[in-house]
Amino acid sequence: AQKITQTQPGMFVQEKEAVTLDCTYDTSDQSYGLFWYKQPSSGEMIFLIYQGSYDEQNATEGRYSLNFQKARKSANLVISASQLGDSAMYFCAMREGPGANNLFFGTGTRLTVIP
Amino acid sequence: EAQVTQNPRYLITVTGKKLTVTCSQNMNHEYMSWYRQDPGLGLRQIYYSMNVEVTDKGDVPEGYKVSRKEKRNFPLILESPSPNQTSLYFCASSLQRGNEQFFGPGTRLTVL
């Protein structure tokens, strides 16, 4: 079974609107971490936001927030007030266990922001 | 500037010709990893290292070797590259286990 599932290969959003990118995960560990990375067309991987499994509040970083629903095993990324520069691939990833170094990545969602 | 660097950024080679992709970080991170990215598959871990002289296999280690003789460097070695190793390779590092990983700029490898 896939550990990280991103069901949206591509998404479009109008500039200045909010968009939600879906991510579901599969783990039996109680302690885990969830990450979102952005990959622009230039290819680098940019860390956006992190949510620990024991964090009670949803993580936020500027225009990014992570909608963490533990019971549903989902960790959706919400981007508010989309900008043209947000057009990129977005990857959800999970670390299993408190000290694991491996990240399991989803297949990504390509977001296109329309002017 | 804190960063992870990789060299070369682009490489075209032929089957069987040994190559090394270098990775270096200047953040004194203990943990370093190599990933490959293929279309439709996301990123998959090849090898990782928890400290100097401590390395272990990730999910797709076949055909690769690594070494960690110094804390800052973590080279990826392909002893006999094959066309199925054509991919985009990322090196990453993190301060501690479980923390966010900082990625290098990527190395696009083509094996003919």
Side-chain angles (χ1 to χ4, degrees), chain A residues 2 33 35 37 39 41-47 50 89 91 95 97-108, chain B residues 9 31-33 35 37 40-43 45 48-49 59 88 90 94 96-105:
Chain A
Q2 291 288 334
F35 302 78
Y37 284 85
Q39 186 178 42
S41 57
S42 51
E44 71 267 32
M45 296 288 288
I46 302 168
F47 166 76
Y50 166 79
M89 281 288 285
F91 290 96
R95 159 189 57 78
N101 193 46
N102 190 13
L103 288 179
F104 295 97
F105 282 82
T107 52
Chain B
R9 295 288 313 279
Y31 296 90
M32 299 185 74
S33 300
Y35 293 87
Q37 182 181 13
L41 295 177
L43 279 78
Q45 191 182 53
Y48 66 94
S49 169
D59 298 319
L88 177 59
F90 287 100
S94 60
Q96 296 175 346
R97 285 186 292 182
N99 282 24
E100 70 186 73
Q101 296 193 15
F102 294 88
F103 283 79

Side-chain angles (χ1 to χ4, degrees), chain A residues 19-61:
Chain A
V19 63
T20 298
L21 306 184
D22 294 341
C23 172
T24 57
Y25 59 92
D26 182 27
T27 182
S28 56
D29 284 346
Q30 296 300 309
S31 176
Y32 52 89
L34 297 155
F35 302 78
W36 278 91
Y37 284 85
K38 172 184 178 182
Q39 186 178 42
S41 57
S42 51
E44 71 267 32
M45 296 288 288
I46 302 168
F47 166 76
L48 295 178
I49 197 166
Y50 166 79
Q51 178 88 40
S53 58
Y54 293 120
D55 295 340
E56 294 187 352
Q57 296 204 335
N58 287 343
T60 61
E61 289 285 348

Side-chain angles (χ1 to χ4, degrees), chain B residues 13-32:
Chain B
T13 189
V14 294
T15 298
K17 187 176 181 182
K18 180 179 178 180
L19 66 93
T20 299
V21 184
T22 64
C23 172
S24 183
Q25 50 91 7
N26 62 1
M27 297 170 280
N28 203 35
H29 285 174
E30 289 188 352
Y31 296 90
M32 299 185 74

Side-chain angles (χ1 to χ4, degrees), chain B residues 14-112:
Chain B
V14 294
T15 298
K17 187 176 181 182
K18 180 179 178 180
L19 66 93
T20 299
V21 184
T22 64
C23 172
S24 183
Q25 50 91 7
N26 62 1
M27 297 170 280
N28 203 35
H29 285 174
E30 289 188 352
Y31 296 90
M32 299 185 74
S33 300
W34 276 102
Y35 293 87
R36 60 178 288 174
Q37 182 181 13
D38 301 291
L41 295 177
L43 279 78
R44 294 175 294 168
Q45 191 182 53
I46 303 170
Y47 267 95
Y48 66 94
S49 169
M50 292 185 285
N51 214 323
V52 175
E53 302 292 2
V54 181
T55 64
D56 209 346
K57 297 177 180 178
D59 298 319
V60 287
E62 294 78 20
Y64 305 95
K65 287 174 58 177
V66 292
S67 69
R68 188 92 181 271
K69 292 181 170 38
E70 305 167 278
K71 198 172 187 178
R72 62 184 292 131
N73 296 324
F74 190 44
L76 179 70
I77 304 156
L78 284 72
E79 294 271 2
S80 182
S82 62
N84 65 12
Q85 292 178 299
T86 292
S87 188
L88 177 59
Y89 291 86
F90 287 100
C91 180
S93 73
S94 60
L95 181 60
Q96 296 175 346
R97 285 186 292 182
N99 282 24
E100 70 186 73
Q101 296 193 15
F102 294 88
F103 283 79
T107 294
R108 188 166 292 281
L109 172 65
T110 300
V111 183
L112 302 175

